[in-house]
């Protein structure tokens, strides 16, 4: 059974603060690691797909890093804004014949206070 | 990216009733997925569908569940006889490119 864990479970920050969350996943049989941003009543929005050890990806103020050898990924938000408030999900995609099946972490709920 | 839509957005049903959840409209996509999230729990994989066949399913996806593409575009998830524990948010996803899965907004199912 694959286990994907995220921390912290929730986070409250002030507008302008920078923050980061962690996703840990199995270090064996790795294929890809996904990050999603999910606002209530909306579709989870794909942020990044990361496949290579040492990958760093950036989208605006949000960036992510990947360490497949030790099985973790960090998501960073620089200068948080109230509109960044959402649940951030990571999902692990194992190799082999999984046809893209994603195993999700429990998510980190971010609240950015004005 | 092309949008994934789902209907209905909410459904309330009685235990033992059949429900059909839909992804509409989708065309030219090969890979489809259903996931669900029971309140307070992780999003969990149900089934993947490739080239009009089930390619992988979880242990949750028992004989009460089925998927199909009845008209080549809509992608449906049927639960034949709903149980209380089927209450969850159900997400459809499709994969067009190499890896990224794009999710619909979900159908919230409540079984009474």
């Amino acid at each position: 059974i694959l286990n994907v864990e995220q921390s912290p479970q929730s986070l409250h920050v002030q507008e302008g603060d920078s923050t980061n969350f962690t996703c840990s996943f199995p270090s064996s049989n790795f294929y890809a690691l996904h990050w999603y941003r999910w606002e209530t009543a909306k579709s989870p929005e794909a942020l990044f797909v990361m496949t290579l050890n040492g990958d760093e990806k950036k989208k605006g103020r949000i960036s992510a890093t990947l360490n497949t050898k030790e099985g973790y990924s960090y998501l960073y938000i620089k200068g948080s804004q109230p509109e960044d408030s959402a649940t951030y999900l990571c999902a692990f995609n194992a190799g082999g014949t999984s046809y893209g099946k994603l195993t999700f972490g429990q998510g980190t709920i971010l609240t950015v206070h004005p | 990216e092309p949008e994934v839509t789902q209907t209905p957005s909410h459904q309330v049903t009685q235990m033992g009733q059949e429900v059909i959840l839909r992804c509409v409209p989708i065309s030219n996509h090969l890979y489809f997925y259903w996931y669900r999230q029971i309140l307070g729990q992780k999003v969990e994989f149900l089934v993947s569908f490739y080239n009009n066949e089930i390619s992988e399913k979880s242990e949750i996806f028992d004989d009460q569940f089925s998927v199909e593409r009845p008209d080549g575009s809509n992608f449906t998830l049927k639960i034949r006889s709903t149980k209380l524990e089927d209450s969850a948010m159900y997400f459809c996803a499709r994969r067009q490119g190499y890896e990224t899965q794009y999710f619909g907004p979900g159908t919230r199912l409540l079984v009474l």
Side-chain angles (χ1 to χ4, degrees):
Chain A
I1 296 176
L2 297 175
N3 198 29
V4 179
E5 296 294 331
Q6 291 185 246
S7 63
Q9 193 169 1
S10 65
L11 196 54
H12 290 257
V13 301
Q14 290 298 126
E15 183 176 354
D17 288 350
S18 293
T19 188
N20 65 86
F21 335 125
T22 305
C23 173
S24 62
F25 52 85
S27 55
S28 60
N29 201 26
F30 175 87
Y31 182 75
L33 193 283
H34 302 243
W35 280 100
Y36 287 88
R37 179 176 177 276
W38 184 23
E39 290 182 73
T40 304
K42 294 186 178 179
S43 304
E45 173 196 354
L47 291 174
F48 305 114
V49 179
M50 308 176 80
T51 56
L52 298 176
N53 184 45
D55 246 358
E56 286 191 35
K57 296 215 171 176
K58 190 174 180 184
K59 186 176 182 177
R61 292 180 291 99
I62 305 176
S63 60
T65 61
L66 179 70
N67 184 324
T68 60
K69 294 188 189 309
E70 296 181 41
Y72 64 83
S73 176
Y74 293 136
L75 187 80
Y76 300 91
I77 302 179
K78 185 178 177 182
S80 304
Q81 300 296 309
E83 57 265 31
D84 295 330
S85 297
T87 298
Y88 290 83
L89 296 168
C90 71
F92 173 80
N93 184 190
T97 58
S98 71
Y99 293 97
K101 166 188 168 183
L102 297 181
T103 301
F104 282 84
Q106 68 272 52
T108 293
I109 303 169
L110 174 66
T111 305
V112 182
H113 299 279
Chain B
E1 67 261 357
E3 197 174 291
V4 178
T5 59
Q6 292 184 240
T7 61
S9 58
H10 295 80
Q11 180 147 4
V12 181
T13 190
Q14 294 291 323
M15 191 168 58
Q17 295 296 303
E18 176 183 282
V19 295
I20 297 177
L21 311 181
R22 291 184 171 83
C23 259
V24 292
I26 297 174
S27 60
N28 300 323
H29 298 152
L30 290 178
Y31 297 90
F32 303 95
Y33 306 84
W34 284 100
Y35 295 84
R36 76 176 186 186
Q37 186 188 37
I38 295 170
L39 193 63
Q41 298 185 22
K42 294 179 179 181
V43 175
E44 51 190 356
F45 168 80
L46 293 177
V47 65
S48 57
F49 194 77
Y50 168 68
N51 208 21
N52 293 323
E53 290 183 351
I54 290 176
S55 51
E56 188 175 5
K57 57 185 180 180
S58 71
E59 57 195 30
I60 304 167
F61 196 88
D62 60 21
D63 291 344
Q64 293 301 311
F65 290 87
S66 62
V67 288
E68 60 178 10
R69 285 187 80 187
D71 56 9
S73 63
N74 293 352
F75 178 48
T76 64
L77 174 70
K78 182 191 292 186
I79 310 174
R80 288 189 185 82
S81 177
T82 49
K83 306 183 188 74
L84 297 176
E85 55 265 35
D86 293 328
S87 296
M89 179 75 92
Y90 287 81
F91 291 101
C92 166
R94 56 94 180 156
R95 180 161 64 103
Q96 183 176 357
Y98 190 45
E99 292 135 357
T100 302
Q101 291 186 27
Y102 297 99
F103 283 75
T107 294
R108 185 169 293 285
L109 176 66
L110 179 60
V111 182
L112 301 175

